[in-house]
Amino acid sequence: MVKLVGQIIENRPIEEGTFEMIVAVPPTFSYLPGQFLHVRVADSYDPLLRRPLSIAWAASGRFGLIYRVSGRGMTMLSRKRSGESLDFLGPLGQPYPLRTDRPRAFLVGGGIGVPPLLGLAEALSEKGISVTAVIGAQTKDGLLLLDRLQPFGKLLVATDDGSVGFAGTAVQCLEERFGSGGERPQESVIYACGPLPMLRALDELAQRWRIPGYLSVEESMACGVGACLSCVVLRRGGPGESGRPQVVRTCVEGPVFASGELLWEAWEQPKWWEDTEETPT
Amino acid sequence: MQDAEGQPVGSPRLITQLGPWQLRSPILAASGCFGYGREYAAYLPLQRLGGIVTKGTSLKPRLGDLPPRMVETPAGMLNAIGLQNPGIETVIQAELPFLHRYGVPVIVNLYGTTPEEYAELAARLDGVEGVWGIELNISCPNVAAGGILFGQSPILARQVTEAAKRATHLPVMVKLSPNVTSIVEIARAVEDGGADLISLTNTFRGMAIDLHRRRPVLGNLSGGLSGPAIRPLALQLVWEVAGTVQIPVVGIGGIVSGDDAAAFLMAGASAVQVGTAQFIDPTACVRIADELEATMNREGFAQIADMVGAARQ
Ligand SMILES: Cc1cc2nc3c(=O)[nH]c(=O)nc-3n(C[C@H](O)[C@H](O)[C@H](O)COP(=O)(O)OP(=O)(O)OC[C@H]3O[C@@H](n4cnc5c(N)ncnc54)[C@H](O)[C@@H]3O)c2cc1C
Ligand SMILES: Cc1cc2nc3c(=O)[nH]c(=O)nc-3n(C[C@H](O)[C@H](O)[C@H](O)COP(=O)(O)O)c2cc1C
Ligand code: FES
């Protein structure tokens, strides 16, 4: 949890529109899968803020970031060359818990949510867990990191347009596997990272099948360290907490949350924030 | 320089007299950008700060605004946090003791919906260990009731100031909103109400629209603009207010470097607060203090006080 500077060893496109940056750091650097870095992409103040990026993998003395060149910040990052330095805060946030009490793990990734699953797949398979990656995208071209995930276990692929693999979303693909009896939900854990609708559907699936699930959420962040309260989501109040929802920070209490914890309705319904607010009298 | 416990305290040349307070540095952390100090304690020596202004604190806990709460804009950002805070009791019991350990001056930023609430908050902090003063937030653009309403009417601004002054022995700083027709009128009213210091500015009201979703990005629709984008606007307002009131002024708005801080001092501010810059550089308050000393060397100033108002002579 400190401000660090690493040296860029490599920064190149690995797939259409997607870059991998490899950064050298002191050998003492370590992280847990699911954690992220808050990266400075420019020396100037425009764009102003750091960018949150998951650590995709780490080996002794280096780590990899895998990012889609979307907006201005990622474009600037993609122009950095080997030998230049990278200024970052981290590792930040709560990692995926590595559950060894159930022998099977389904790692569900959509779009640019796939990178953190790489390090997670490695960590789980090292612990003897049987890993299945379920990777979804709109089309064949959007599928990310299939070759890199392959060595750690099985691979299921879903495309919205059916151009390859299952025709539908990654969540529908998983649902079908469970429904057809081809998998053993009672022995499984779900880990996921991807867009909000995917996480929400997966949360519902996990609860219906009574499978422990861990979901990594993306919210816009300013500070990345818990000070500004920009990145909040609502967590259901547990028993003993008077049942009131709690505001939690994606950057500190997240980005990984357990299935069943998040109040998805709160993203679209102001009433959750109003009704529960004790306005001063 | 180190203190008795060997902690770095910074150069004696940065020592700043700000109204009733003697501070180790003219650089304070601005409200809402430093929480209650915990998050940044890992990144910088808190005792080197001139002071910490806490997150806006109300009587009861507040959940704050519906997300999204933040969107980046050119050289700036819009926020609509909605004054999420755990309420004054929790702040006193669970947050302030942490800061007290560092011996850093703490100024508690307060938000109420009536003058009586401001008074109750001010009274509650009277005598709390480690609290050097209060800052009245009469300028938050992101809450419906109170806040900015008080900052937009000279009469109400004065009433709130008087209510707080009567309720506490602590020095009272009043934080002004730039979203007004005449900031000097408000500044005068606040001075007449007995304020010990004035700080400015809070954020400028702004908006961003998501073209794809066809609606404003922020859950609160509008938000407050901060960061380098507002620096020249804030600097000009500080110039106006410092030229109007006799009480010390604290400059705020887009400061990211020692030269920026120097500009606010030369415009007439006795100290400055740094907000958004911390999100980019968590060590900003200390770095800016060090840079300011370099600016002093370069421009030939022996001490902070010599810089204050230097551009007005
Ligand atoms: C915890 C976390 C981990 C992430 N890991 C990865 C990763 O491994 N690989 C990857 O490609 N992307 C990842 N993202 C998304 C990544 O942060 C955004 O793609 C990036 O910030 C876009 O910046 P930009 O300037 O290119 O885009 P712009 O759209 O120009 O950015 C404008 C603003 O919006 C914010 N923003 C835009 N998209 C997102 C988003 N999806 N999530 C959060 N903020 C966003 C930016 O940070 C910036 O403040 C992650 C996000 C979070 C929160
Ligand atoms: C995320 C965020 C939260 C803020 N919260 C508060 C607050 O609770 N009370 C307050 O008086 N000002 C608040 N402010 C305003 C800042 O203290 C400061 O006045 C403003 O951001 C301008 O300074 P800057 O450009 O250095 O950030 C907040 C600003 C930001 C960016
Ligand atoms: S980004 Fe500031 S609290 Fe999470």
Side-chain angles (χ1 to χ4, degrees):
Chain A
M1 234 247 308
V2 283
K3 181 168 183 280
L4 286 173
V5 177
Q7 198 184 34
I8 299 168
I9 304 175
E10 209 177 292
N11 188 25
R12 60 178 184 86
I14 51 168
E15 280 166 45
E16 179 65 33
T18 303
F19 273 62
E20 177 166 33
M21 177 184 279
I22 301 174
V23 181
V25 278
T28 48
F29 179 93
S30 70
Y31 93 113
L32 295 165
Q35 291 188 302
F36 67 98
L37 301 178
H38 213 23
V39 177
R40 183 111 191 245
V41 294
D43 294 330
S44 75
Y45 288 94
D46 190 38
L48 181 68
L49 299 169
R50 290 174 178 270
R51 297 292 189 262
L53 288 175
S54 304
I55 302 169
W57 56 267
S60 86
R62 52 211 198 120
F63 64 77
L65 302 175
I66 295 172
Y67 57 97
R68 177 153 293 164
V69 182
S70 44
R72 206 158 140 238
M74 292 302 105
T75 304
M76 292 174 93
L77 196 66
S78 72
R79 297 210 180 109
K80 289 194 185 277
R81 292 166 185 251
S82 55
E84 287 183 43
S85 58
L86 186 77
D87 169 342
F88 61 87
L89 312 178
L92 301 167
Q94 301 304 318
Y96 291 106
L98 301 178
R99 302 250 322 222
T100 49
D101 55 326
R102 290 177 164 232
R104 300 160 151 258
F106 288 90
L107 277 52
V108 187
I112 198 57
V114 186
L117 302 182
L118 204 52
L120 178 65
E122 187 178 1
L124 288 169
S125 73
E126 271 172 14
K127 291 196 179 294
I129 306 290
S130 144
V131 171
T132 303
V134 190
I135 305 303
Q138 278 169 345
T139 69
K140 186 168 172 285
D141 296 335
L143 292 165
L144 218 56
L145 299 175
L146 300 183
D147 55 327
R148 303 276 290 270
L149 284 161
Q150 189 81 68
F152 302 114
K154 274 191 292 188
L155 205 54
L156 297 175
V157 170
T159 51
D160 292 351
D161 67 353
S163 50
V164 59
F166 178 86
T169 67
V171 183
Q172 287 164 346
C173 174
L174 190 59
E175 179 81 59
E176 200 220 38
R177 298 291 289 219
F178 285 163
S180 68
E183 305 292 345
R184 275 169 280 175
Q186 68 282 5
E187 293 178 5
S188 304
V189 178
I190 292 174
Y191 301 89
C193 184
L196 219 61
M198 182 195 104
L199 297 180
R200 192 171 176 171
L202 209 53
D203 191 19
E204 192 271 322
L205 177 149
Q207 293 187 62
R208 194 156 30 78
W209 287 92
R210 298 175 190 283
I211 305 170
Y214 300 95
L215 316 168
S216 179
V217 173
E218 281 179 18
E219 278 291 315
S220 9
M221 295 182 178
C223 72
V225 300
C228 73
L229 309 178
S230 290
C231 63
V232 303
V233 295
L234 272 192
R235 182 157 72 187
R236 270 175 228 285
E241 288 163 0
S242 76
R244 273 170 55 97
Q246 293 175 303
V247 186
V248 289
R249 299 161 295 185
T250 304
C251 65
V252 174
E253 285 82 22
V256 176
F257 292 99
S259 167
E261 264 192 327
L262 295 177
L263 255 174
W264 303 98
E265 301 86 342
W267 263 275
E268 60 231 15
Q269 289 178 17
K271 92 170 169 43
W272 277 105
W273 303 80
E274 285 158 14
D275 286 354
T276 47
E277 177 186 299
E278 293 180 35
T279 20
T281 46
Chain B
M1 278 276 289
Q2 297 187 333
D3 66 10
E5 284 151 30
Q7 300 297 321
V9 294
S11 161
R13 293 180 62 207
L14 293 170
I15 290 174
T16 300
Q17 192 66 39
L18 176 61
W21 307 314
Q22 194 186 65
L23 309 176
R24 281 177 179 162
S25 152
I27 315 293
L28 291 82
S31 179
C33 304
F34 211 75
Y36 296 93
R38 257 177 227 283
E39 290 77 16
Y40 284 114
Y43 291 94
L44 80 176
L46 294 185
Q47 64 280 357
R48 278 212 52 197
L49 272 60
I52 291 172
V53 187
T54 70
K55 175 69 191 163
T57 303
S58 49
L59 283 174
K60 299 271 178 60
R62 289 175 57 91
L63 290 182
D65 283 335
L66 170 82
R69 289 181 169 186
M70 193 281 295
V71 55
E72 195 183 47
T73 57
M77 56 174 272
L78 288 166
N79 88 78
I81 310 297
L83 294 172
Q84 179 193 329
N85 79 90
I88 188 75
E89 281 313 318
T90 305
V91 168
I92 291 172
Q93 304 305 329
E95 301 290 352
L96 297 183
F98 172 82
L99 281 177
H100 185 52
R101 288 215 298 271
Y102 289 87
V104 57
V106 175
I107 297 157
V108 182
N109 181 281
L110 299 177
Y111 160 76
T113 56
T114 61
E116 293 72 30
E117 272 185 28
Y118 280 98
E120 195 178 335
L121 287 160
R124 185 65 190 84
L125 285 163
D126 213 351
V128 172
E129 237 181 2
V131 176
W132 285 41
I134 56 176
E135 182 180 61
L136 306 182
N137 175 7
I138 57 165
S139 44
C140 182
N142 301 325
V143 287
I148 199 167
L149 281 182
F150 295 117
Q152 288 176 331
S153 147
I155 296 167
L156 292 176
R158 182 178 172 147
Q159 277 176 8
V160 169
T161 310
E162 285 172 346
K165 273 302 284 184
R166 272 198 300 272
T168 182
H169 296 96
L170 291 167
V172 174
M173 174 151 75
V174 182
K175 183 166 178 180
L176 304 188
S177 167
N179 302 303
V180 294
T181 313
S182 167
I183 200 158
V184 294
E185 257 186 70
I186 308 283
R188 271 201 209 98
V190 161
E191 185 178 38
D192 292 344
D196 300 286
L197 307 108
I198 284 180
S199 55
L200 75 161
T201 75
N202 208 317
T203 53
F204 290 72
R205 192 173 267 179
M207 182 179 274
I209 288 187
D210 183 330
L211 302 184
H212 182 65
R213 286 165 62 237
R214 302 185 188 185
R215 53 178 142 138
V217 177
L218 296 174
N220 185 53
L221 308 183
S222 73
L225 183 63
S226 66
I230 69 169
R231 193 192 309 134
L233 306 170
L235 186 61
Q236 196 277 332
L237 293 173
V238 166
W239 174 278
E240 268 192 78
V241 170
T244 304
V245 297
Q246 304 303 311
I247 53 176
V249 169
V250 178
I252 322 169
I255 296 170
V256 299
S257 72
D259 282 0
D260 297 344
F264 278 81
L265 296 177
M266 288 193 192
S270 299
V272 300
Q273 294 179 17
V274 170
T276 302
Q278 272 143 170
F279 305 156
I280 298 102
D281 175 8
T283 69
C285 280
V286 168
R287 174 183 53 79
I288 293 171
D290 291 339
E291 287 175 2
L292 181 60
E293 200 184 359
T295 307
M296 291 166 73
N297 291 336
R298 193 184 71 219
E299 303 299 334
F301 290 98
Q303 49 183 3
I304 295 293
D306 300 340
M307 251 184 177
V308 175
R312 311 186 71 96
Q313 267 114 49

